[in-house]
Amino acid sequence: MAGKNIKVLLVEDNPGDVFLLQEFLKEVTTVVVDLMPVERLSEALNYLAKELFDVILLDLSLPDSQGLETFVITHHQAKATPIIVLTGINDETLAIKAMQEGAQDYLVKGQVTGDLLVRSMRYAIERQRADNALRQSEERFRVALKNSPIFVYNQDCELRYTWVYNPSNGLTVEEMLGKQDLDIIPVEDAQRLTTIKREVLTTGIGRREEVSITIKDTTRYYDLTVEPLRNESQEIVGVTCASIDISERQAALRDRKLAEEKIREQAALLDVATDAICVRDLNNQIIFWNKGAETLFGWKATEAWGKNANELLYDEFSPEIEAALLQVVSKGKWQGELNKLTKMNKEILVASRWSLVCDEQGKPKSILTVDTDITEKKHLEAQLFRAQRLESIGTLASGIAHDLNNILTPILAGAQLLPLKFPDADERTRHLLEILEINARRGADLVKQVLSFARGVEGKRITLQLRHIIVELGKILKETFPKSIEISTDVPQDLWMVSGDSTQLHQVLMNLCVNARDAMPNGGSLTISAENLLIDENYARMNLEAKQGPYTVITVSDTGTGIPREILDRIFEPFFTTKDVGQGTGLGLSTVLGIVKSHGGFVNVYSEPGSGTSFKVYLPAVGGMETFTPEELPPQTGHGELILVVDDEVAILEITRTSLEAHNYKILVANDGIEAIALYAKNRDKISAVLMDIMLPSLDGLTAIRTLQKINPQVRIIASSGLMSDNKLSAVAAIGVNTFLSKPYTVNELLLSLQKVLS
């Protein structure tokens, strides 16, 4: 066909495959191809009715025709034109059936090259012509197959080789003529070939198979086509066979499948890992991102691929990161702790391990990073260190107070005895002795406060109802505090009792209220409230100092200036104060902590600069379990209702999900207001209630709640926050929130809140 254009009809509806075939043909300079592409079978039939083509490239899956029927219709329209079937890897069986029906060849998409395509078209055209020429002249048949890679031979009805051309099985023509397959190849291979050829002799229908043949200890794979050989009377007198050596193609396909399977297995193992695993090239572009990284950082793999890791995960490029890069390139490894950012711009702390990955020549090509989230772990460590620091300070303060007591005792005694010893002392001397006694007493009181922090003050423990103390304290505060401060109390009638010293607990509340007053120089609101709380395992996991069991919780809240975050961890240390010299000793809160700890309780503080402060005092309840109200009774489990839980704290989400799923609820989770809105819009008819944290990144909880109410005015919402108490429910009730749940909450409280909004 050299020097002659090949006119080709391409029947293919995939524009990408058409483009690839055109590009492949442009690369081949040995032949000129006139390509006519059409997308539908009907268009192809119209062209075949008007024009002649040298070859047809036919996809069996078209918009208006599917499967083997596509070939049958085309072949019927153009019997004299060779047809090459285009197929995917998974459709080779269908292509083989088309070969049996008369297709000249098939090509597998994705494995086509320009040379292979042209060679296949040449083969198809030549084979078509050879079939016609076979009836006229064997010599013309040989000429047509000249330079072809096809091994062609004829066998009679006894399956003896009568004609052999271009053998590619390692044998010569002389070694094959007059013999059967059993004489020249292993028994198992020969029996398989004989079965195929006998079937063609019996049915008169050609077959195409992929077969393997072992000759001289070498196994080769062939694409074998067997057709009945007929005489002029159309009687079957044998078979004519054509085979193409496809060993290289089979090996490449097998290797590729093994490689793909290995890659899939490795990727599956990496995706099972809970750690975030990332691979980036030496230009810092991300080339691998596992499921753990998606979960930890919020970016989907498709979003992370190709992005600069520094821009994606860091607020700014720090010297610490630069030093890590230098070490991993020079030494091959680095590990340490890094602050990274999530998709929602939330800062997390990770334990990061970096490893340098090299190619086969040992040259660096990428960096493997494995990150473990230790944010919650560090938070718990900080609680532990704070408790240990306070304990150490308490031990030191206790020792100092003991020595000071020893020093002050004789001073105070002497100050009291000297006036008796010298009754005739002048007025100035008596005044000096009076000053000495007063200041000695002040020193003794100061030591007493230090001891209150260090080991608590031993007092008489009786069963107390704190409601009476709070009501009495409220009256005193209203009479003594400035009128610009509004005092309110909120105490339930069924408040559980505690075992404690009434004087000491009165001092705790008074110290907290005085601090609240000082934080509101221009006035504000001071609220003292109390509640019953049954702390469970979930709550104890959120708070290091909490233990399972019943507690009475007293909350002192103000609307004052708040406490700066940088000093929040130091406020309980003795002698630490932010007040001016002479206005405070720094022992008020340390005394509070000492007394509460001596009662077996703990204190939590929530504060935002400019938004006020809430101190929560937790005291173990006694003798109150039998007074459970219906609200404290075990709540009913769910009935498969779908609950949307929205919180930016991963630990809170996991604890809440586990708790609700254990009580027969279904859960959807979101990390911020934007994600919550998207999930609710998608699942509006399925979601029964929404548990929404008020303090969220990107889009705050109140704005998200208003948006959900626009989507569905009847949406049932439970608002939650660690910075607001139950008495402040009115602040969010104005926007239609059904109920409020204060953090940290127990499973019981959570289930009761859901039961309330779903009833």
Side-chain angles (χ1 to χ4, degrees), residues 553-572:
V553 185
I554 307 170
T555 304
V556 178
S557 300
D558 65 65
T559 58
T561 56
I563 304 173
R565 188 176 299 275
E566 60 270 16
I567 68 170
L568 200 58
D569 281 343
R570 300 193 59 198
I571 60 175
F572 292 106

Side-chain angles (χ1 to χ4, degrees), residues 277-548:
I277 301 176
C278 166
V279 179
R280 49 199 163 115
D281 61 25
L282 298 183
N283 293 321
N284 231 19
Q285 305 300 308
I286 295 172
I287 56 179
F288 178 79
W289 190 263
N290 79 330
K291 293 287 186 185
E294 290 185 349
T295 302
L296 180 58
F297 296 112
W299 299 97
K300 295 295 184 184
T302 51
E303 297 174 312
W305 288 335
K307 296 289 176 48
N308 186 291
N310 289 340
E311 296 175 359
L312 197 71
L313 300 174
Y314 303 103
D315 190 21
E316 57 184 15
F317 191 69
S318 67
E320 184 182 13
I321 301 170
E322 186 175 0
L325 283 171
L326 290 174
Q327 182 172 330
V328 77
V329 171
S330 61
K331 298 184 178 180
K333 290 184 179 296
W334 176 88
Q335 65 179 23
E337 295 179 0
L338 293 173
N339 288 308
K340 295 190 176 184
L341 293 178
T342 68
K343 183 178 180 181
M344 306 315 301
N345 212 34
K346 177 183 176 182
E347 188 175 279
I348 60 174
L349 183 66
V350 298
S352 193
R353 285 88 71 199
W354 296 9
S355 299
L356 189 66
V357 181
C358 299
D359 60 18
E360 295 177 354
Q361 287 73 41
K363 295 181 180 180
K365 68 174 184 178
S366 59
I367 297 173
L368 170 68
T369 301
V370 180
D371 289 336
T372 304
D373 186 3
I374 58 172
T375 309
E376 187 66 21
K377 175 185 174 185
K378 285 294 181 180
H379 175 69
L380 292 175
E381 283 181 358
Q383 287 190 46
L384 179 61
F385 292 154
R386 172 174 166 269
Q388 290 174 339
R389 184 176 75 249
L390 290 174
E391 183 178 349
S392 299
I393 294 173
T395 303
L396 176 63
S398 178
I400 294 173
H402 179 269
D403 292 339
L404 284 175
N405 267 334
N406 289 338
I407 294 170
L408 288 171
T409 297
I411 294 174
L412 183 57
Q416 293 172 334
L417 288 174
L418 282 173
L420 300 176
K421 185 72 174 177
F422 302 102
D424 299 328
D426 58 65
E427 184 177 349
R428 180 175 178 79
T429 301
R430 289 198 303 272
H431 181 63
L432 288 174
L433 292 174
E434 184 180 346
I435 292 174
L436 180 62
E437 181 180 356
I438 291 171
N439 282 279
R441 289 184 182 278
R442 288 183 62 188
D445 290 339
L446 198 61
V447 170
K448 188 181 294 184
Q449 290 190 59
V450 172
L451 286 173
S452 296
F453 163 77
R455 59 172 184 261
V457 179
E458 294 298 330
K460 185 178 180 181
R461 297 289 191 267
I462 61 173
T463 300
L464 295 173
Q465 175 51 263
L466 290 174
R467 182 176 68 255
H468 306 309
I469 296 177
I470 295 172
V471 171
E472 179 186 350
L473 181 63
K475 293 177 181 178
I476 295 173
L477 296 180
K478 288 178 182 179
E479 294 173 357
T480 59
F481 275 20
K483 300 301 181 182
S484 59
I485 297 178
E486 182 182 348
I487 311 295
S488 61
T489 59
D490 181 11
V491 186
Q493 292 295 320
D494 58 352
L495 188 67
W496 294 339
M497 293 180 289
V498 300
S499 177
D501 184 293
S502 61
T503 302
Q504 294 173 15
L505 294 178
H506 188 280
Q507 183 183 359
V508 166
L509 296 180
M510 180 58 78
N511 284 1
L512 293 177
C513 290
V514 169
N515 279 354
R517 178 202 64 189
D518 295 342
M520 298 184 289
N522 300 318
S525 297
L526 172 61
T527 304
I528 309 172
S529 60
E531 62 179 323
N532 298 326
L533 178 65
L534 188 61
I535 288 183
D536 60 6
E537 182 183 359
N538 284 350
Y539 192 105
R541 285 177 58 189
M542 295 185 205
N543 193 307
L544 194 63
E545 297 177 297
K547 298 178 181 179
Q548 288 183 249

Side-chain angles (χ1 to χ4, degrees), residues 5-214:
N5 291 6
I6 301 177
K7 191 173 181 180
V8 180
L9 177 63
L10 173 59
V11 190
E12 172 62 66
D13 66 321
N14 188 318
D17 289 337
V18 174
F19 176 80
L20 285 175
L21 291 173
Q22 290 173 330
E23 291 300 308
F24 286 144
L25 292 174
K26 288 178 182 178
E27 296 173 0
V28 180
T29 59
T30 57
V31 67
V32 178
V33 178
D34 293 330
L35 190 68
M36 172 62 68
V38 296
E39 297 182 356
R40 306 176 73 87
L41 180 61
S42 58
E43 296 175 59
L45 297 178
N46 289 336
Y47 274 104
L48 291 172
K50 298 181 290 185
E51 298 181 42
L52 294 176
F53 293 86
D54 295 306
V55 66
I56 300 171
L57 298 177
L58 179 65
D59 184 4
L60 298 182
S61 296
L62 298 171
D64 57 345
S65 181
Q66 296 286 322
L68 191 60
E69 182 182 5
T70 304
F71 171 78
V72 173
I73 295 173
T74 307
H75 187 51
H76 183 267
Q77 178 77 9
K79 291 182 178 179
T81 306
I83 299 174
I84 299 174
V85 172
L86 301 175
T87 182
I89 293 177
N90 297 326
D91 292 328
E92 288 192 72
T93 302
L94 181 61
I96 291 171
K97 290 182 180 179
M99 291 283 294
Q100 295 169 353
E101 292 294 327
Q104 298 299 330
D105 200 357
Y106 76 92
L107 294 173
V108 179
K109 295 179 182 179
Q111 300 177 1
V112 179
T113 65
D115 290 334
L116 179 61
L117 179 59
V118 171
R119 189 172 69 181
S120 180
M121 290 192 297
R122 282 177 166 169
Y123 161 60
I125 295 171
E126 297 297 344
R127 181 177 170 189
Q128 184 76 17
R129 292 177 177 176
D131 288 342
N132 296 332
L134 183 62
R135 300 187 186 92
Q136 303 173 12
S137 169
E138 186 177 289
E139 184 61 28
R140 290 183 63 187
F141 182 72
R142 287 195 181 97
V143 172
L145 290 177
K146 189 176 182 179
N147 298 324
S148 171
I150 305 172
F151 167 31
V152 185
Y153 55 89
N154 290 343
Q155 290 174 282
D156 59 21
C157 289
E158 299 300 322
L159 295 182
R160 298 183 183 278
Y161 287 89
T162 59
W163 177 76
V164 178
Y165 183 77
N166 197 23
S168 60
N169 58 3
L171 299 174
T172 64
V173 174
E174 291 73 18
E175 289 176 317
M176 297 179 66
L177 287 175
K179 297 178 181 178
Q180 296 177 315
D181 289 324
L182 282 169
D183 300 325
I184 58 177
I185 61 177
V187 174
E188 185 177 346
D189 296 340
Q191 289 176 341
R192 186 164 59 253
L193 289 174
T194 300
T195 300
I196 295 171
K197 295 168 184 176
R198 288 288 182 198
E199 183 179 335
V200 173
L201 287 172
T202 303
T203 63
I205 299 173
R207 284 188 60 182
R208 183 178 179 181
E209 299 282 348
E210 286 188 5
V211 297
S212 62
I213 300 175
T214 302

